[in-house]
Amino acid sequence: MAIITLTTDFGLKDHFVGVLKGSIYSELPDAKIVDISHDVAPFNIQECAYILKNSYNSFPKGSIHIVGVDSEATQENQHIVVLINGHYFVSANTGVIGLITSEIKPDKVVEIKIPDSLHGSFPVLSVFVQVACHIARGGTLEVVGKPFNDLKDLREFMPRIVDDGKKIIGSVIYIDNYGNVVTNIQKHLFEAYRKGREFELLVRNHKIKKIHKAYNDIIDFSVEKSKQKGDGDLLALFNSSDYIELAIYKSNLKTVGGASTLLGLDYRDTIMIDFL
């Protein structure tokens, strides 16, 4: 039985997640359901894409990923199923799939067309679950939809290269549970334009001149302990998904604050890199 994952902005206070799981088990008693996240900020497509893009490849091919963010169908927000590298994504055409497929071409895309399906206020339940269970039983995409060639592409969230390659202007795309700030500048882009040059990462009134590989790389054990950087200090690093991330070492968002609150950064705020 294929794995079915759930990524939504439903939270856990209400009954919605439980209803989804109950409906899947009613259709497929032996189903394997995995929660990726239910804490995506409401209607935040970029945040949803970041979480899903950096998690789906950890699952075996044949997995089915239900995306429950901004899922109501409109003329511009069609219900779709996308097959990418052996993975099925059941979603609305919000741009989330376009962000995931920015570096890999989909194998197949169909617009969901199910006769007599209920298009109410809970399409993740009435449509997406039905389609996911169909696929999990070995059903083909041609049965639930027709070919579709109009995936939304959210290019506005891509970093911009300016000043003849001397600057990269990026933005905040995700803030994690620790208050760490993830930018949309990836390591391969940074290195492609750096060309061995020194640089300054500019954020608010801070300048950062080094990007680490791990959080504790900020500590220089060769200097006297009283002079070492450590808890509470700002750093930049390439995170596990190779995005430039800003963090306060060993911070706590709920007490002293994290990079997001201490630097005053929020979703889509600007981060700039100057190559010297």
Side-chain angles (χ1 to χ4, degrees):
M1 180 63 66
I3 292 172
I4 298 175
T5 77
L6 303 175
T7 304
T8 77
D9 57 4
F10 297 162
L12 295 176
K13 177 181 179 179
D14 302 308
H15 60 283
F16 304 122
V17 174
V19 168
L20 290 181
K21 292 181 178 180
S23 298
I24 294 170
Y25 285 129
S26 294
E27 290 273 341
L28 304 170
D30 296 327
K32 299 175 182 177
I33 304 173
V34 177
D35 300 293
I36 292 180
S37 177
H38 296 295
D39 288 324
V40 176
F43 305 103
N44 192 323
I45 301 305
Q46 182 76 36
E47 185 172 286
C48 178
Y50 176 81
I51 292 172
L52 204 50
K53 183 176 182 178
N54 293 298
S55 58
Y56 84 89
N57 262 329
S58 296
F59 293 89
K61 290 187 177 182
S63 295
I64 303 155
H65 307 282
I66 294 177
V67 185
V69 178
D70 195 14
S71 55
E72 283 195 283
T74 68
Q75 289 184 350
E76 298 179 347
N77 202 34
Q78 305 89 346
H79 288 162
I80 56 175
V81 185
V82 186
L83 176 60
I84 306 170
N85 194 26
H87 291 257
Y88 295 90
F89 295 84
V90 187
S91 175
N93 187 26
T94 57
V96 65
I97 304 300
L99 286 164
I100 293 170
T101 61
S102 60
E103 298 171 2
I104 183 171
K105 186 178 179 180
D107 300 299
K108 187 177 291 187
V109 184
V110 301
E111 181 180 359
I112 297 172
K113 294 291 185 181
I114 304 175
D116 302 322
S117 62
L118 298 174
H119 292 286
S121 62
F122 198 0
V124 181
L125 175 64
S126 60
V127 179
F128 294 0
V129 165
Q130 186 177 349
V131 171
C133 290
H134 166 78
I135 297 170
R137 284 192 291 262
T140 64
L141 298 189
E142 287 75 12
V143 172
V144 297
K146 63 179 183 179
F148 185 74
N149 298 305
D150 196 21
L151 278 179
K152 285 185 181 175
D153 188 1
L154 298 182
R155 290 294 174 183
E156 64 177 293
F157 293 108
M158 301 296 289
R160 293 186 292 121
I161 311 300
V162 299
D163 197 11
D164 294 324
K166 295 179 182 178
K167 296 181 188 292
I168 300 177
I169 300 176
S171 57
V172 176
I173 59 171
Y174 187 71
I175 297 172
D176 71 12
N177 188 55
Y178 296 92
N180 299 330
V181 175
V182 181
T183 77
N184 61 351
I185 303 173
Q186 292 180 276
K187 184 177 181 179
H188 68 82
L189 180 72
F190 172 81
E191 295 295 354
Y193 284 92
R194 181 183 183 185
K195 300 176 182 178
R197 294 177 289 183
E198 298 295 317
F199 66 91
E200 291 180 341
L201 191 158
L202 308 173
V203 49
R204 295 289 187 252
N205 59 340
H206 297 272
K207 292 182 180 179
I208 300 174
K209 299 185 178 183
K210 186 172 183 179
I211 301 177
H212 300 284
K213 295 180 180 179
Y215 297 98
N216 61 15
D217 282 350
I218 193 176
I219 304 173
D220 183 354
F221 291 99
S222 66
V223 303
E224 183 182 334
K225 192 166 186 177
S226 62
K227 298 180 181 179
Q228 292 175 1
K229 288 187 175 181
D231 295 12
D233 284 316
L234 173 66
L235 72 144
L237 78 158
F238 294 112
N239 67 13
S240 60
S241 300
D242 274 345
Y243 288 82
I244 292 179
E245 176 181 310
L246 304 173
I248 303 296
Y249 187 61
K250 290 193 175 181
S251 62
N252 186 328
L253 187 59
K254 296 180 180 178
T255 55
V256 296
S260 59
T261 54
L262 295 176
L263 295 176
L265 290 173
D266 206 346
Y267 174 62
R268 298 190 73 172
D269 282 349
T270 298
I271 306 293
M272 187 167 67
I273 295 175
D274 273 342
F275 296 111
L276 307 178

